[in-house]
């Protein structure tokens, strides 16, 4: 309410001086959001974890809960996969001479049940990479979710309009 009072004052003063006022919906740094943004509308980030397996053998077990660190941003890297993080993909690749063979990549998502991978590991050394969606930035709206952005703009836009009119 105090912010909207300041907005109203700004618009009143600008109008008295023959000026117009333009606002962005994000504020300083263009961060879109607020504490009122519901969890399902919040920004998400793709993180990964990896598990090294040697074959040939049957593997039944969990995926790694240790997140892969972003070498370009170690300080802000997420360290662990959380219970609320959503698994979106699992891919394995054969590691040959220290390099992942692109030709060997196999989609294993359908072999994961309740967080447990059931897979017949072929001969060789394999890296199982899991990819997870995690929420980031408390209250930051998901810019890639059209419905979330529409709800955000309706909320903020309606508050502005109630305060200062069209």
């Amino acid at each position: 309410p105090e912010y909207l009072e300041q907005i109203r004052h700004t618009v009143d003063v600008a109008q008295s001086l023959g000026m117009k006022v333009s606002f962005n919906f994000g504020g300083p740094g263009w961060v879109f959001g607020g504490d009122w943004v519901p969890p399902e509308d919040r920004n998400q980030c793709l993180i990964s974890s990896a598990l090294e397996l040697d074959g040939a053998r049957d593997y039944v077990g969990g995926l790694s809960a240790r997140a892969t660190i972003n070498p370009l941003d170690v300080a802000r890297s997420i360290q662990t996969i959380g219970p609320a993080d959503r698994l979106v993909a699992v891919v394995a690749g054969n590691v040959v001479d220290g390099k992942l063979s692109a030709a060997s990549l196999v989609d294993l998502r359908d072999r994961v049940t309740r967080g447990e991978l059931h897979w017949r590991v072929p001969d060789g050394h394999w890296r199982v990479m899991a990819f997870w969606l995690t929420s980031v930035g408390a209250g930051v709206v998901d810019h890639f979710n059209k419905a979330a952005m529409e709800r955000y703009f309706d909320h903020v836009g309606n508050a502005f309009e109630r305060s200062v009119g069209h």
Side-chain angles (χ1 to χ4, degrees), residues 23-97:
F23 295 100
N24 71 55
F25 281 104
W30 292 80
V31 176
F32 285 83
D35 294 340
W36 54 268
V37 175
E40 62 273 12
D41 284 355
R42 291 185 181 169
N43 194 29
Q44 298 181 44
C45 169
L46 189 65
I47 57 176
S48 65
S49 65
L51 177 65
E52 304 289 326
L53 297 174
D54 289 314
R57 68 180 177 111
D58 289 322
Y59 176 79
V60 176
L63 299 166
S64 176
R66 187 170 23 144
T68 305
I69 301 300
N70 178 351
L72 301 177
D73 197 356
V74 174
R76 292 190 303 168
S77 287
I78 295 169
Q79 302 292 316
T80 53
I81 307 301
D85 296 338
R86 184 169 59 93
L87 182 65
V88 293
V90 180
V91 178
N94 192 5
V95 179
V96 179
D97 297 325

Side-chain angles (χ1 to χ4, degrees), residues 11-12 14-15 50 57 73 75 107 115-116 121 141 151 154 158:
V11 170
D12 288 345
Q15 285 178 337
R57 68 180 177 111
D73 197 356
D107 181 356
E116 191 171 79
V121 183
V141 70
R151 285 188 289 275
D154 285 346
N158 289 339

Side-chain angles (χ1 to χ4, degrees), residues 7 21 63 66 72 99 105-106 109 128 133 138 150 156:
I7 296 293
V21 177
L63 299 166
R66 187 170 23 144
L72 301 177
K99 295 181 181 179
L105 294 177
V106 58
R109 180 65 182 100
V128 178
L133 274 179
E150 287 173 346
V156 174

Side-chain angles (χ1 to χ4, degrees), residues 127-146:
R127 180 170 299 137
V128 178
M129 299 157 289
F131 298 90
W132 315 78
L133 274 179
T134 188
S135 293
V136 294
V140 176
V141 70
D142 182 353
H143 301 83
F144 296 110
N145 180 330
K146 181 179 179 182

